[in-house]
Amino acid sequence: MNSLQVADSFLVADGKVRGIELHRQRFTDSCTALGVEAGAFFDEQVGRLPAFGRWFPRFELKATGELGVQLRPAPPQGDRIRVAVRRDPRTNPRVKGPDLEVLAELKAEAAAQDRADEIVLVDRDGIALEGGSSALVWWEDGVFCIPPSTLPILPSVTAQLLRRLATERGVEVAERARMAAELADADEVWLVNALHGIRPVHAWHTDPIDPLPLSTAPTWQTALVSLARQV
């Protein structure tokens, strides 16, 4: 049995965080739905985060009903990735926490079988949902695309920040449902999260690597990083 009912993690780099108010809302809303008030706890613990170095703290609501924080050093920054497609095994996809263990097992299997850095989850109809620990976004003819919010996906802070940036830049944003096979033909596919920001997909399964010479990811990553604020 998973020991977590709710979890939320974010990158802290020299005391700065991207979208901290969105992380707070996602964590506290999930806790509130389980009858636990977590706002004061979240605010207090954020105020105690280190003002130097790179950290990846995880805020938790445990199965016992206890709130806690794991202050973890941040893993190295990721870049372009190879992905493998897997059927979504989650039981509670809109809440981060309950399915972390099963997703970790699925990612480990994909790494061993397909040399994949991350997985793309699909529903029973083959519609692409998101990554094992990342949100899915992609580009079609200059349009910034995301899966429809009606699908069983986790509300992603990083995807929401990128959507805001796209809107501010006058870029068209669309919610579109796509099969995983269709995404292989998109202009670019990104898996995005709080730790790494943007990681462009450069290979599917064991297919050859796409060098992505015209990727716009570095420009958008710079804009995303600039959103970090002191906490």
Side-chain angles (χ1 to χ4, degrees):
M1 178 180 177
N2 197 331
S3 61
L4 291 178
Q5 294 191 82
V6 182
D8 208 291
S9 304
F10 45 84
L11 177 66
V12 183
D14 293 329
K16 294 183 178 181
V17 179
R18 298 189 295 267
I20 187 65
E21 74 286 353
L22 298 176
H23 283 286
R24 184 188 191 279
Q25 180 179 357
R26 186 171 69 179
F27 182 73
T28 57
D29 284 355
S30 294
C31 290
T32 298
L34 294 170
V36 177
E37 168 54 48
F41 171 82
F42 188 95
D43 295 340
E44 178 187 1
Q45 295 301 317
V46 165
R48 300 172 62 182
L49 293 173
F52 59 90
R54 282 172 50 86
W55 304 90
F56 194 54
R58 186 168 78 181
F59 285 66
E60 304 173 342
L61 173 60
K62 301 177 183 179
T64 59
E66 179 187 0
L67 292 165
V69 180
Q70 288 192 46
L71 182 60
R72 308 171 299 180
Q77 182 78 39
D79 195 358
R80 300 176 179 187
I81 53 174
R82 177 186 295 275
V83 300
V85 177
R86 292 292 188 271
R87 175 79 173 268
D88 187 4
R90 295 173 297 175
T91 58
N92 196 349
R94 296 188 184 279
V95 177
K96 184 174 182 179
D99 296 299
L100 288 179
E101 290 182 7
V102 69
L103 289 174
E105 292 171 1
L106 203 60
K107 289 174 66 175
E109 173 200 286
Q113 293 183 359
D114 299 302
R115 296 181 288 116
D117 305 296
E118 175 62 295
I119 53 177
V120 170
L121 300 171
V122 298
D123 66 14
R124 63 184 181 182
D125 297 317
I127 299 298
L129 302 173
E130 57 192 320
S133 58
S134 313
L136 171 69
V137 303
W138 67 95
W139 293 88
E140 295 181 9
D141 298 322
V143 178
F144 181 79
C145 302
I146 57 177
S149 56
T150 53
L151 291 174
I153 55 179
L154 181 73
S156 166
V157 170
T158 305
Q160 187 169 339
L161 293 176
L162 285 170
R163 185 172 187 168
R164 288 180 185 176
L165 284 172
T167 300
E168 292 169 1
R169 294 178 171 202
V171 173
E172 182 181 352
V173 177
E175 293 190 5
R176 297 175 178 175
R178 291 287 183 265
M179 307 284 283
E182 294 177 299
L183 291 178
D185 296 323
D187 297 334
E188 282 197 73
V189 179
W190 299 343
L191 290 182
V192 304
N193 64 18
L195 175 61
H196 302 294
I198 299 169
R199 290 183 295 171
V201 175
H202 74 167
W204 293 80
H205 294 288
T206 56
D207 293 344
I209 290 175
D210 182 346
L212 303 175
L214 303 178
S215 175
T216 61
T219 299
W220 287 84
Q221 178 82 325
T222 298
L224 185 63
V225 170
S226 73
L227 298 178
R229 297 290 181 267
Q230 204 78 33
V231 296

